[in-house]
Amino acid sequence: MASRRGRAYLGAMSNGDRRTITIARLKPKPLAAGQMLCLLAFGVLVAMQARGDTAGEVVRHILFGDVVMTALMAAAVLGFVWFRRLWRWRAAYVRHDGVTLYRGGSARWPLALVRDVVLAKNGMGIQTLRLVVDDDSEVTRELVKLAMLDGSAEAVKGGVMFAAAGMRGVPSGVTVN
């Protein structure tokens, strides 16, 4: 009879006995700086918004005073949550288990459908590595922003293409740095 702890561990394993191989990591300094800036912005916005004689008045004014300030505080909290999520996945942001390619904890693609990894600029001019997936869609998927990538873009591209080529048989024309 398995203990409760053992069942929780087996239930948490999503990929069974397959080993996960890390392809790309994120730089820790931008993620820590982003978290600190969001906390600082939240603190400054709360201090600017907090007015009143009693604690109840202060809380009411923070939450319902100026709508724009409240929206900015919410954006600062969401920014902190986003940077915190990236921080948790920084050591293995892009990884695969031989069958599926994973990005952080939110996105996954079957390796058999991965066709290419391309370098592109988004609407704000930030360079990103984007994934070309063969799923009858004309849209590429963002894999990682180059500013946050710890390592070279060529190594990540080569690692993803090597893993995808391994799913299709013999690797063809892939260089891993």
Side-chain angles (χ1 to χ4, degrees):
M1 181 162 175
S3 68
R4 181 178 178 103
R5 186 176 178 187
R7 283 187 302 219
Y9 177 73
L10 291 175
M13 290 177 41
S14 61
N15 59 359
D17 60 346
R18 295 186 299 242
R19 283 187 56 197
T20 302
I21 299 169
T22 299
I23 298 172
R25 292 178 170 86
L26 297 178
K27 293 178 186 175
K29 287 182 183 178
L31 302 178
Q35 290 178 59
M36 292 302 143
L37 285 175
C38 288
L39 284 177
L40 180 66
F42 180 76
V44 167
L45 290 168
V46 166
M48 290 173 56
Q49 188 78 346
R51 290 185 218 123
D53 294 330
T54 65
E57 288 179 6
V58 170
V59 170
R60 269 194 308 278
H61 206 271
I62 288 172
L63 294 177
F64 306 113
D66 185 6
V67 177
V68 174
M69 294 291 263
T70 305
L72 289 174
M73 284 187 275
V77 169
L78 289 175
F80 176 77
V81 168
W82 183 72
F83 278 111
R84 182 72 180 154
R85 175 180 269 177
L86 289 177
W87 178 264
R88 286 183 44 220
W89 288 105
R90 73 188 181 283
Y93 191 66
V94 178
R95 62 200 184 285
H96 75 90
D97 61 4
V99 176
T100 307
L101 180 70
Y102 301 95
R103 181 193 71 207
S106 61
R108 63 186 69 192
W109 302 275
L111 280 171
L113 295 180
V114 174
R115 295 295 170 235
D116 198 8
V117 178
V118 295
L119 184 65
K121 287 186 179 182
N122 65 9
M124 297 187 325
I126 299 171
Q127 288 189 332
T128 61
L129 280 177
R130 297 192 66 85
L131 198 63
V132 178
V133 180
D134 188 21
D135 63 353
D136 298 331
S137 173
E138 298 294 324
V139 179
T140 60
R141 275 67 171 198
E142 181 177 323
L143 193 58
V144 64
K145 289 178 178 46
L146 290 187
M148 289 202 243
L149 183 64
D150 190 18
S152 70
E154 293 80 22
V156 175
K157 180 178 178 178
V160 170
M161 293 309 297
F162 185 79
M167 283 302 300
R168 292 187 284 275
V170 179
S172 58
V174 177
T175 304
V176 177
N177 296 337

